[in-house]
Amino acid sequence: MEYAHILIRYGELTLKGKNRKQFTIQLQENIKEKIQDMPTVKIKRQRDRMYIILNGADPDPIIERCKHIFGIQSLSPAIRVVNDEEKIKEAALYALTSEPDVQTFKVTAKRTNKDFPIKSQDLNQVLGGYLLTHSDGYSVDVHEPDMEIRVEVRQDATYITSKNIQGLGGLPVGTSGKTLLLLSGGIDSPVAGYLTMKRGVKIEAVHFHSPPFTSERAKQKVFDLARSLTGFGHSIRIHVVPFTKLQQKISKEIPHGYSMTVMRRMMMRISEKIAEKEGILSFTTGESLGQVASQTMESMHAINDVTSYPVLRPLIAMDKEDIISISQSIDTYDISIRPYEDCCTVFVPDAPKTKPRLEKVKYFEDMIDFQEEMEETLAGIEVVRISQHSRQDKEFDDLL
Ligand code: ATP
Ligand code: MG
């Protein structure tokens, strides 16, 4: 007798009617990718749940990995037996007695296979009685048991579980298209990327840097942040944009109160070029309303004006504390607080306008010809692929 399976429950996916099959296939793919170094472990997909068949493998590292996969509501190690009363009793007894520090228990039986002769309610009684008479020192507590033994009699077999491990929820990455994440080295944008992935979206990233005013280590920090995010999905391509020339020109030619707004508009325009080329249909930023000068209603209006792409802002209504607590839980916080300069802080004046007026922004921009710098910037974009375990691989990719 052993826990030879892991039962995966989908949660929200069950609501998705028609798309369910596509979701479950994607989830199966995502799990398979996470355990590809364990060729003997198999995954069996059913309409309303999935089973990982361990074939002797240690369940703990697999459970650990599943805790990082979106689309899993909860999971449980499971004992699988044929639909036979005696076998079910044995398995329930094994579940109860194989765990230390358990004194009270409760049996919750569910019979979805109506061919099985004992009804759910009766099965509770039968199993509860059996456990009490075949073990020592245990008692039943239906309200707050140390262990809830769940018994599900299904078509193919009966599954017995005694632990319920919370998953991340969300939707499997790959079911909701792709977004271009504007990834800085700060606390917010990695969290925004995480939350977007949680809704099933794949991400690709763009990072603006300004060498030599920003250092290699500042760039490395962004790669490390991206690597943390790969743990929740897939390898991530980062488009690294050399932003120095454009920033220098902006800071020289645009009145200081407006340089931050113009710089952000340039970021959007460049992001749009990348999105067009890659067939990506939206952007994601770490903006949160009211946090800094660029995140007022007026600023967002002026910055958003240059693109018709949807800009996803998953943090828009969140408090900083909540954002920080997510960043701690996904292990990006310690990377984000490494003290390296960001391109925006290097060139941005002390007091950017918090309420930039769109006509003024356009007026200032129209007076300057940025074309040469823009072309040079686009031509200098470098694409780096970040995978979970390897160092980054460079891909050279000329945009124009
Ligand atoms: P973060 O913590 O993500 O850096 P922030 O609170 O510092 O955000 P801003 O500096 O106003 O806020 O940046 C707002 C958003 O603009 C960021 O969340 C990010 O999505 C994007 N952004 C800022 N700087 C860069 C950069 N150098 N490269 C790519 N995107 C950036
Ligand atoms: Mg920042």
Side-chain angles (χ1 to χ4, degrees), residues 184-189 264 342 344-345:
S184 69
I187 294 170
D188 302 328
S189 43
R264 295 276 180 202
D342 182 69
C344 306
T345 45

Side-chain angles (χ1 to χ4, degrees), residues 42-316:
K42 303 283 174 229
I43 306 167
K44 189 168 79 180
R45 176 168 52 84
Q46 291 180 354
R47 206 174 131 274
D48 57 342
R49 57 178 45 192
M50 226 173 266
Y51 298 99
I52 297 178
I53 303 163
L54 293 168
N55 285 325
D58 179 2
D60 292 339
I62 299 176
I63 290 172
E64 237 4 84
R65 293 182 202 187
C66 287
K67 284 193 201 164
H68 287 80
I69 299 175
F70 292 120
I72 297 178
Q73 197 62 31
S74 68
L75 58 159
S76 302
I79 304 168
R80 180 184 199 266
V81 293
V82 293
N83 292 339
D84 169 81
E85 186 182 333
E86 291 311 311
K87 290 275 183 278
I88 296 171
K89 283 175 174 168
E90 262 174 57
L93 185 62
Y94 175 80
L96 180 65
T97 54
S98 61
E99 193 70 30
D101 303 325
V102 175
Q103 266 141 32
T104 58
F105 73 91
K106 164 189 177 178
V107 178
T108 309
K110 196 169 140 199
R111 179 190 64 149
T112 50
N113 177 353
K114 302 294 175 207
D115 296 332
F116 188 74
I118 311 173
K119 288 188 186 146
S120 304
Q121 202 47 42
D122 299 340
L123 195 53
N124 282 337
Q125 303 287 337
V126 169
L127 291 174
Y130 179 85
L131 294 177
L132 288 173
T133 51
H134 287 76
S135 65
D136 261 338
Y138 295 97
S139 60
V140 172
D141 181 345
V142 290
H143 300 297
E144 270 183 57
D146 298 333
M147 177 185 280
E148 180 177 358
I149 301 168
R150 294 209 233 175
V151 176
E152 261 201 86
V153 185
R154 292 172 66 92
Q155 223 52 45
D156 61 324
T158 297
Y159 294 87
I160 293 97
T161 61
S162 60
K163 265 194 203 138
N164 200 22
I165 300 155
Q166 203 59 33
L168 282 180
L171 304 173
V173 173
T175 53
S176 309
K178 199 189 252 189
T179 194
L180 184 63
L181 172 68
L182 279 75
L183 183 61
S184 69
I187 294 170
D188 302 328
S189 43
V191 175
Y194 167 83
L195 290 175
T196 317
M197 291 169 89
K198 186 171 183 189
R199 295 314 296 169
V201 182
K202 282 192 169 183
I203 60 175
E204 205 151 298
V206 54
H207 176 67
F208 297 85
H209 75 143
S210 299
F213 304 98
T214 59
S215 63
E216 271 303 303
R217 283 196 282 184
K219 192 164 89 175
Q220 187 59 46
K221 176 179 170 182
V222 172
F223 293 166
D224 291 346
L225 287 170
R227 184 166 299 109
S228 297
L229 292 179
T230 63
F232 298 97
H234 48 78
S235 67
I236 295 173
R237 297 172 78 221
I238 306 187
H239 301 257
V240 181
V241 182
F243 207 35
T244 318
K245 286 262 168 64
L246 268 172
Q247 278 196 304
Q248 282 175 320
K249 183 137 178 177
I250 294 167
S251 110
K252 186 158 153 254
E253 307 284 352
I254 301 286
H256 276 177
Y258 277 86
S259 59
M260 194 267 307
T261 312
V262 173
M263 182 188 80
R264 295 276 180 202
R265 285 163 61 94
M266 291 296 173
M267 284 186 172
M268 281 302 188
R269 291 187 177 104
I270 293 165
S271 300
E272 193 171 287
K273 288 273 189 258
I274 296 168
E276 265 169 22
K277 180 173 181 246
E278 304 293 340
I280 297 172
L281 303 181
S282 72
F283 307 131
T284 298
T285 72
E287 287 162 305
S288 164
L289 203 51
Q291 216 184 67
V292 289
S294 62
Q295 297 172 23
T296 62
M297 205 60 87
E298 290 79 2
S299 266
M300 279 196 278
H301 178 248
I303 295 164
N304 221 144
D305 167 70
V306 300
T307 181
S308 60
Y309 280 59
V311 181
L312 311 181
R313 299 180 175 92
L315 312 185
I316 199 67

Side-chain angles (χ1 to χ4, degrees), residues 333-346:
Y333 183 75
D334 289 339
I335 306 172
S336 291
I337 59 171
R338 287 185 205 157
Y340 304 120
E341 60 299 317
D342 182 69
C343 73
C344 306
T345 45
V346 173

